[in-house]
Amino acid sequence: MEAPGRKRVVQWQRSPYAIVIAVVVVPVTLARDEPGARQRTLMPWRAAVQTARAAAVPLAGEQVALEAAVGRVLAAPVCAGTSLPRFDTAAMDGYAVTGPGPWRLIGQVLAGGPPWAGAIRAGEAVEIMTGAVVPGAAMAVVPYEDVRRDGGFVHADLGAKPHIRRAGEDAKAGDELLASGRLVTPAVAGLLAECGTDRVAVRRRPRIRLVVTGDEVVPAGTPGPGQVRDVFGPMLSALIAACGATVAGRVLLDDDPDLLADQVRGQGVDVVVVTGSSSAGAADHLRGVLTTLGARYLVDQVACRPGRPQTLAALPDGRWVVGLPGNPFAGLVASITLLRPLLQALTGWIPPAPVRLPVTGDARVTDPFTRLVPVTLAGDHAVIVAGSRPASLGGAATADALAVLEPGWVTGRPVDLLPLP
Ligand SMILES: Nc1nc2c(c(=O)[nH]1)N[C@H]1C(S)=C(S)[C@@H](COP(=O)(O)OP(=O)(O)OC[C@H]3O[C@@H](n4cnc5c(N)ncnc54)[C@H](O)[C@@H]3O)O[C@H]1N2
Ligand code: MOO
């Protein structure tokens, strides 16, 4: 048993710079797991990723404005509300003509101006601007640079391209343009706008409580002797945002089982992420807390390096808990192994298959562990960033991707490359 003591609870309130530090005196009521009390099962790295991805079903959808939808995931297929383009559209500035030339110039139409009334006849030309409605019966738009003007007549050889975008040639009204589960990228937002859509159904953002633990961890500034500056608040907030989720609460706790249990118990979020309590040490309380709360373990230790002590568990009320190791690079690897796939499951986003490239460099891969190493891209292959260790983020910060080195890998062999958030 630990003695009751003064413990820090550091809360972030909206802005990361508004930090409120409370010191509470806590009696110890939760027992810590006895070392070795529960046999942990090493799960292969790929199985851990798949388990996290299969763990959850997508959250409900909500209608949001297009600008707010970017970075989120479509909750329903999107169909074209109108044909695209809506009307026969000039693709060049020039002359709309029909029949063999030369053509007699009979007028002008501008984009957004009144369309030409009726159809043009063989031998007639209408000056036209890109984006204007093409007059009926026009067979081509001849660009200015391809014509010769002679008084009221236009001379040109018709090229192979008519330079007319025909109504509905991109999509007919009612066509499915995008499947449910697609990420709303800037291009998707633009396409939706093109269809006249103002609001779109996207998955609700998963809400995350980020619980950083460690007596030695300080929330801001330069750490003192024996202290480290918290890396997970900034790093995971960014990763969570990049996954289309939102940090709904962020707290730094001293190592204490009751304070941790309060945070894990707290409602109002979909996922609780706990850093730095995942191993077997005297101050690593996550497993004891999860056991006390009746959590079901889906993943409890992964055969990967770094990042072995990582956990995915389901609480009886359906919320998820992800435990990440405290070593900064190990925590990043673990968040890519368990947290990112879980958030993808909750948002319904199916990522594209990873790129595979030959990876060269020096790394020891010991069966049954998968090794994740930062790499830089060098054209047709990737090169391992030297000196990457579980506690150091320097490699990941200068890398383009994480390479997945499975047992048996030798330099030059192609492997999956995971995008770094
Ligand atoms: N007997 C064993 N000891 C350890 C094992 C093990 O299997 N048996 N696993 C080792 C591995 S691998 C890792 S990784 C760490 C994971 O430990 P925890 O998740 O319990 O984290 P801590 O012990 O609290 O911290 C580890 C390390 O990381 C620093 N840290 C923690 N939080 C932060 C933070 N927010 N920002 C920056 N740095 C942080 C902490 O100061 C420690 O240096 O356990 C090994 N031990
Ligand atoms: O695996 Mo730990 O997660 O080496 O640093």
Side-chain angles (χ1 to χ4, degrees), residues 8-301:
R8 277 178 322 163
V9 180
V10 182
Q11 301 273 1
W12 271 256
Q13 292 181 344
R14 289 170 200 270
S15 149
Y17 301 106
I19 298 174
V20 179
I21 303 182
V23 176
V24 291
V25 179
V26 286
V28 174
T29 54
L30 277 172
R32 188 170 61 80
D33 263 6
E34 289 306 316
R38 183 170 182 275
Q39 198 55 49
R40 306 172 81 171
T41 323
L42 260 188
M43 184 179 277
W45 179 81
R46 272 184 199 280
V49 174
Q50 279 156 11
T51 301
R53 198 165 284 151
V57 293
L59 297 170
E62 59 187 9
Q63 293 280 339
V64 302
L66 288 190
E67 291 78 359
V70 174
R72 298 177 66 177
V73 178
L74 293 178
V78 170
C79 295
T82 66
S83 51
L84 291 177
R86 291 206 67 177
F87 49 84
D88 289 351
T89 309
M92 290 287 195
D93 300 324
Y95 299 92
V97 298
T98 196
W103 303 276
R104 188 169 58 87
L105 188 57
I106 58 169
Q108 186 190 56
V109 281
L110 304 177
W116 189 258
I120 57 172
R121 289 188 300 253
E124 290 178 341
V126 169
E127 189 174 12
I128 193 162
M129 303 305 134
T130 303
V133 180
V134 173
M139 56 191 238
V141 170
V142 198
Y144 283 129
E145 51 274 36
D146 294 347
V147 307
R148 184 173 58 82
R149 277 281 299 271
D150 166 20
F153 282 85
V154 174
H155 300 257
D157 292 325
L158 285 186
K161 274 192 166 180
H163 298 300
I164 296 174
R165 298 173 56 227
R166 292 291 176 191
E169 74 178 22
D170 291 345
K172 306 268 183 294
D175 282 358
E176 183 175 311
L177 297 177
L178 299 161
S180 179
R182 178 163 288 277
L183 191 65
V184 181
T185 59
V188 167
L191 179 63
L192 291 170
E194 208 178 341
C195 296
T197 303
D198 293 314
R199 294 175 76 75
V200 64
V202 290
R203 297 286 172 200
R204 175 168 77 69
R205 284 185 194 278
R207 291 166 60 82
I208 316 300
R209 175 173 304 128
L210 184 51
V211 183
V212 175
T213 69
D215 289 0
E216 77 283 26
V217 181
V218 295
T222 308
Q227 296 181 322
V228 293
R229 169 69 191 273
D230 169 37
V231 302
F232 288 113
M235 184 166 75
L236 294 182
S237 297
L239 182 140
I240 287 164
C243 290
T246 189
V247 177
R250 178 175 155 193
V251 65
L252 165 61
L253 300 180
D254 276 350
D255 292 308
D256 178 84
D258 293 317
L259 292 181
L260 182 57
D262 281 349
Q263 291 296 327
V264 174
R265 243 188 239 115
Q267 300 292 312
V269 294
D270 304 293
V271 183
V272 182
V273 176
V274 179
T275 70
S277 268
S278 61
S279 195
D284 297 332
H285 299 296
L286 181 60
R287 301 175 74 246
V289 166
L290 289 177
T291 305
T292 305
L293 297 182
R296 175 172 57 92
Y297 284 85
L298 283 86
V299 180
D300 184 15
Q301 288 216 101

